[in-house]
């Protein structure tokens, strides 16, 4: 018989367990939808479905993976705007991507991860680059890098073979590298590019400090080699 | 092992998704090749940073509260009231096993959720995708974008000024959202498939021969009706009666 007054302790436990993944779901939803309102609604939809279809969860299996499967399904079915995505995919398909598209800033950060100033800019540029990434690549990158799911789990969520997950991650990350390089060019920071004549001063003083920092870093590198 | 092959597998290497034999081969190459190692370092830095972006992000408190509310739905008022006496509670338990009562409860929950979603969208609309003064153009614009037809909006909206339209959502469903201005009040018309929503129960009134469900959420009034399996919902701070009238008004 349906209980009108109280839920079973198993139900309450299940709901509490689900709620423990709220931050992770929201962080990913924010990167999927690229705006807060949609992210909030997407996550709310995920929980409404999770609670409603609680019986679909097999106890003992990975609850986080189950919730993320609902997240991905809900996002794909209800939130993505198809027309909007095509532009990026066309660009991705047309332009070749080279592994050696790296910029000085990213290289510097990679070799000196303790440098907070470099890290701040690297993080910001990377966040922008992630937002620019076409959805079919953004989804596996978020699931793998942000949420640390295995290729097998991601393949289940996306409903594609593991090989596809692997190639999308590979290509997605290359595209992130290229976007980072694009940012660097816009900021006059790309490798061997000395056209930076202060055209991008709009970014403010902090950026200028890092530019100086980057130039001296580059000079030190040149001097060392 | 060449650079080209290493670069092909460096992602899976980093993600610890390669078999042991391939890992050993890549280890050997990476220890000898500076540029491949640079690439791995950069990829690791990116992966670490993306993970940290996730760890830095916390869900807004309001969202957390909404979800906790969803997890523990309060019993419907008539349940609470009845629970005050054991005798009444016994009646309720017996009644709840009977189908019409259960259906009423399920209907109420579904309606409450839709009202919440409609008002949320009215209150915090996403940016309009098309703007203009001709609602007919919006109807044309929706063609092919939704899985259901968006018929002529409520004739009662003739007096209102059409402001814009977009593809939105109500709960997890696609919806057409059109905004109007009427005498300084904003009015939202949302059109979406009825699915499991039934226009029946205590909050339904009959206006001009049409069944209109009215409700109030967060200070906004909503009037909803169903036509051919599609829900038309008006929300605004105008009186519910005015919205119901607008929705029910027949084409002259």
């Amino acid at each position: 018989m349906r209980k009108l007054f109280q839920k079973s302790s198993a139900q309450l436990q299940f709901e509490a367990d689900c709620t423990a993944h709220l931050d992770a779901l929201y962080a990913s939803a924010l990167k999927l939808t690229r705006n807060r309102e949609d992210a909030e609604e997407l996550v709310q939809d995920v929980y409404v479905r999770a609670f409603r279809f609680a019986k679909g969860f097999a106890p003992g299996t990975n609850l986080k993976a189950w919730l993320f499967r609902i997240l991905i399904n809900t996002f794909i079915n209800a939130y993505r705007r198809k027309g909007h995505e095509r532009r990026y995919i066309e660009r991705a398909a047309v332009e070749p991507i080279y592994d050696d598209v790296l910029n000085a800033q990213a290289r510097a950060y990679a070799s000196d991860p303790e440098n907070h100033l470099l890290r701040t800019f690297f993080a910001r540029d990377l966040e922008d680059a992630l937002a620019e990434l076409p959805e079919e690549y953004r989804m596996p990158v978020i699931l793998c890098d942000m949420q640390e799911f295995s290729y097998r789990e991601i393949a289940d969520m996306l409903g594609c073979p593991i090989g596809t997950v692997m190639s999308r991650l590979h290509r997605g990350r290359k595209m992130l590298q290229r976007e980072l390089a694009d940012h660097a060019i816009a900021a006059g920071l790309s490798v061997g590019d000395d056209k930076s004549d202060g055209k991008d001063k709009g970014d403010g003083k902090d950026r200028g400090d890092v530019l100086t920092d980057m130039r001296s870093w580059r000079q030190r590198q040149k001097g060392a080699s | 092992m060449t650079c080209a092959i290493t670069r092909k597998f460096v992602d899976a290497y980093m993600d610890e998704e390669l078999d042991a034999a391939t890992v050993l081969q890549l280890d050997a190459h990476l220890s000898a090749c500076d540029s491949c190692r640079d690439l791995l370092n950069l990829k690791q830095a990116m992966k670490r940073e993306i993970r940290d972006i996730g760890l830095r992000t916390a869900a807004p408190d309001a969202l957390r509260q909404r979800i906790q509310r969803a997890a523990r739905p309060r019993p419907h008022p008539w349940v609470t009231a009845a629970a005050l006496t054991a005798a009444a509670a016994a009646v309720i338990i017996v009644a709840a096993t009977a189908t019409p009562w259960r259906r009423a409860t399920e209907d109420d929950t579904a309606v409450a959720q839709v009202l919440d979603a409609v008002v949320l969208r009215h209150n915090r609309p996403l940016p309009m995708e098309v703007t203009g003064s001709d609602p007919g153009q919006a109807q044309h614009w929706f063609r092919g974008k939704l899985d259901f037809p968006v018929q002529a909006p409520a004739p009662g909206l003739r007096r209102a000024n059409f402001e814009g339209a977009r593809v939105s959502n109500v709960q997890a469903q696609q919806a057409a959202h059109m905004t109007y201005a009427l005498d300084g009040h904003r009015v939202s018309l949302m059109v979406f498939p009825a699915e499991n929503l039934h226009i029946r129960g205590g909050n339904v009134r009959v206006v001009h021969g049409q069944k209109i469900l009215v409700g109030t959420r967060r200070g906004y009034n909503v009037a909803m009706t169903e036509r051919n399996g599609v829900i038309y919902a008006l929300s605004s701070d105008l009186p519910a009666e005015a919205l119901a009238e607008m929705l029910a008004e027949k084409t002259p």
Side-chain angles (χ1 to χ4, degrees), chain B residues 31 46 59 74-75 79 86-87 89 96 121 129 150 160 169 188 193 207 212 219 241 248 250:
Chain B
S31 68
M46 284 170 35
R74 294 159 71 97
V79 175
R121 271 292 171 245
E129 291 174 294
V150 178
N169 60 290
S188 282
V207 185
I212 311 274
E241 294 71 25
K250 289 257 165 62

Side-chain angles (χ1 to χ4, degrees), chain B:
Chain B
M1 181 72 53
T2 64
C3 288
I5 295 173
T6 302
R7 279 156 192 254
K8 190 163 180 239
F9 290 109
V10 70
D11 289 274
Y13 173 87
M14 173 173 73
D15 298 330
E16 298 177 8
E17 294 273 356
L18 288 179
D19 61 284
T22 317
V23 169
L24 286 178
Q25 285 179 294
L26 263 94
D27 279 342
H29 179 85
L30 286 162
S31 68
C33 175
D34 283 351
S35 75
C36 284
R37 209 168 45 244
D38 269 0
L39 181 70
L40 176 64
N41 284 340
L42 175 75
K43 281 180 184 280
Q44 282 172 334
M46 284 170 35
K47 187 180 169 90
R48 201 163 51 230
E49 204 52 55
I50 290 173
R51 187 200 60 201
D52 288 354
I53 290 169
L55 293 176
R56 281 199 296 270
T57 311
D61 285 343
L63 175 65
R64 191 176 297 276
Q65 284 162 13
R66 283 209 299 280
I67 285 160
Q68 277 160 355
R69 272 204 301 277
R72 287 178 199 78
R74 294 159 71 97
H76 194 270
W78 60 256
V79 175
T80 321
L84 290 173
T85 66
V91 170
I92 292 298
I93 289 165
V94 171
T97 56
T99 314
W101 284 82
R102 191 155 72 199
R103 197 178 71 189
T105 321
E106 281 172 5
D107 277 0
D108 283 350
T109 315
V111 165
Q113 285 172 353
V114 168
L115 283 176
D116 275 338
V118 164
V119 164
L120 186 74
R121 271 292 171 245
H122 170 70
N123 194 22
R124 295 189 308 167
L126 298 167
M128 291 295 127
E129 291 174 294
V130 285
T131 52
S133 54
D134 180 9
Q137 281 180 342
Q139 254 175 279
H140 183 75
W141 179 81
F142 278 121
R143 215 165 288 160
K145 293 189 173 62
L146 299 166
D147 303 333
F148 52 91
V150 178
Q151 297 297 344
L157 280 168
R158 274 191 322 263
R159 294 187 301 276
N161 293 319
F162 174 76
E163 292 193 322
R166 70 162 291 131
V167 174
S168 186
N169 60 290
V170 169
Q171 295 181 296
Q173 296 204 65
Q174 270 194 330
H177 185 182
M178 284 158 274
T179 59
Y180 294 81
L182 180 63
D183 304 331
H185 298 273
R186 202 159 54 79
V187 181
S188 282
L189 171 66
M190 318 261 326
V191 187
F192 49 95
E195 294 280 326
N196 299 321
L197 187 70
H198 303 284
I199 305 291
R200 61 187 179 205
N203 294 324
V204 172
R205 50 191 77 174
V206 177
V207 185
H208 299 308
Q210 289 189 57
K211 284 203 279 182
I212 311 274
L213 192 151
V214 292
T216 301
R217 277 288 184 287
R218 303 178 201 205
Y220 292 105
N221 294 312
V222 180
M224 289 196 276
T225 192
E226 187 204 318
R227 288 173 200 154
N228 304 319
V230 178
I231 299 283
Y232 290 76
L234 281 179
S235 36
S236 175
D237 53 1
L238 287 163
E241 294 71 25
L243 295 177
E245 185 72 25
M246 244 187 269
L247 203 52
E249 199 173 307
K250 289 257 165 62
T251 320

Side-chain angles (χ1 to χ4, degrees), chain A residues 2 5 7 15 23 40-41 44-45 49 78 99 102 106-107 109 119 123 145 150-151 170 173 177, chain B residues 7 11-12 15 17 38 42-43 47 49 51-52 59 64 66 71 73 79 106 120-121 169 171-172:
Chain A
R2 173 177 295 238
F5 299 101
K7 295 183 179 187
E15 290 171 357
D23 285 336
E40 284 192 33
E41 292 205 22
Q44 195 172 353
D45 281 351
R49 279 161 195 234
D99 270 327
L102 298 178
R107 273 184 195 280
Y109 172 67
R119 186 175 172 185
D145 291 355
S150 70
Y151 288 6
H170 182 63
R173 288 175 179 149
Q177 287 166 224
Chain B
R7 279 156 192 254
D11 289 274
D15 298 330
E17 294 273 356
D38 269 0
L42 175 75
K43 281 180 184 280
K47 187 180 169 90
E49 204 52 55
R51 187 200 60 201
D52 288 354
R64 191 176 297 276
R66 283 209 299 280
V79 175
E106 281 172 5
L120 186 74
R121 271 292 171 245
N169 60 290
Q171 295 181 296

Side-chain angles (χ1 to χ4, degrees), chain A residues 87-204:
Chain A
R87 177 167 63 91
Y88 297 112
I89 292 163
E90 277 166 9
R91 183 187 171 191
V94 170
E95 289 183 21
I97 302 171
Y98 302 102
D99 270 327
D100 43 4
V101 178
L102 298 178
N103 71 64
Q105 200 178 345
R107 273 184 195 280
Y109 172 67
S111 59
D112 184 12
E114 298 304 310
N115 186 323
H116 290 294
L117 199 59
L118 285 176
R119 186 175 172 185
T120 305
F121 284 105
F122 179 72
R124 199 182 65 182
D125 287 352
L126 187 61
E127 206 161 355
D128 291 348
L130 188 60
E132 292 286 304
L133 203 59
E135 191 182 285
E136 65 174 308
Y137 302 104
R138 191 152 31 100
M139 287 196 286
V141 168
I142 290 168
L143 294 171
C144 182
D145 291 355
M146 190 179 279
Q147 303 300 343
E148 302 180 280
F149 285 117
S150 70
Y151 288 6
R152 155 62 59 202
E153 287 169 322
I154 298 169
D156 283 348
M157 289 173 203
L158 299 179
C160 68
I162 288 184
T164 309
V165 173
M166 204 163 150
S167 61
R168 284 192 195 167
L169 272 172
H170 182 63
R171 194 168 175 86
R173 288 175 179 149
K174 274 187 185 183
M175 289 158 81
L176 284 180
Q177 287 166 224
R178 187 186 58 195
E179 287 293 333
L180 285 176
D182 284 355
H183 278 280
I185 290 162
L189 275 172
S190 66
V191 185
D193 175 13
D194 274 326
K195 282 185 289 184
S196 52
D197 48 7
K199 222 175 13 177
D200 285 89
K201 266 182 183 156
D203 267 355

